[in-house]
Amino acid sequence: MTDSPDIGARRIRTPGLGEVPGDVDVEPEVRIHDARADVPDEELDRSLRPPTLSDFVNQEQVTEQLAIFMEAARGRDEPLDHVLLAGPPGLGKTSLAHIVAAEMGVPMVQTAGPALERKADIASFLTALEPGSVFFVDEIHRLGRAVEETLYPAMEDGELPVVLGQGAGARTVTLPLPPFTLVGATTRAGLLTTPLRDRFGVCHRLEHYTPEHLATIIERSAGILGVEVDAEGAQTIASRSRGTPRVANRLLKRVRDFAQVKGSGAIGADVATAALAMLEVDAGGLDRSDRALLDTIATKFGGGPVGLSTLAVAIGEEQDTIEDVLEPYLLQQGLLQRTPRGRVLTQRAYEHLGLPSPEGATSLF
């Protein structure tokens, strides 16, 4: 009979970490965790987040009001009222939630609407909160109806009703919850139900950033990354960042790579322009997919109108991708127009593509 292997020779495998030799002493308190939480890019993204309200630029109305509300709550030794943050992706809703927790000096628990599928899921989070905690729910508009209704008494009365038993013997027990602040983030505020929206005491909508504010963000991020960037280089990247800090930081990291390999490492206007040309991001912030959509409507469908399903087949994209990813920025820039008959290019789109516009082309300006 083969002897059982000595426990000291056993090797521990953790996803993403490989094997850890068994002869390495591991204290009982040490937790071996999934290394996916320590991916460098994710850590890098978190390090680029503004740590305080004073570092959060462009959304002055939002930050000024939050500063007043937080100072008042601290003065009363109460948690901040529930906060709803709405706006397009990448504008800083998650960063603001982290800032609220940091400036209130309380822990933060983070989850997402799609992850809360059952009442038990939300109950496990709420009952484990420490007093005053910030409970951040991203994409809160995707909460299920039953889960959402569980939040109502928790937000208003600080109580969690729990049904014990089934049938005629079922009874409801109310569990008291510690005071907490729910911070909800949504990219589609219109999908929130009125009862949920009305239970937020503080509601803010974040708007797109100006190139000047994005340039400030890029200069700050470059300092954190240890990259030399001049004002013209930062402005070049900012002007093509679609008004979104997340896009600005992503482009900055790719331009940094280009400058490191093809240049001296410093980012100026020429290096930034060359790098963005390699990335196929044009002067208006449009990438290859954006231009393919506009070019298809212009050359294959005479500028429109063209239906969404036809357009999706023509460019090889899903309809949801066109509606949720490609179209919003094109509509904001006045390059595309939705009509009852379909999508139509505007005069500005022809000018951007460098194509002659047909007579009667729609103009929004």
Side-chain angles (χ1 to χ4, degrees), residues 192-226:
L192 287 175
T193 62
T194 301
L196 179 59
R197 187 188 306 112
D198 290 346
R199 283 173 168 80
F200 286 96
V202 181
C203 297
H204 290 299
R205 179 172 180 84
L206 276 62
E207 304 295 341
H208 283 95
Y209 289 59
T210 64
E212 292 73 23
H213 286 122
L214 286 175
T216 301
I217 292 173
I218 289 170
E219 290 172 355
R220 174 185 174 274
S221 298
I224 295 174
L225 296 173

Side-chain angles (χ1 to χ4, degrees), residues 18-34:
E19 294 182 339
V20 179
D23 56 358
V24 177
D25 292 333
V26 180
E27 296 294 332
E29 296 81 10
V30 176
R31 297 176 60 190
I32 300 177
H33 58 280
D34 193 335

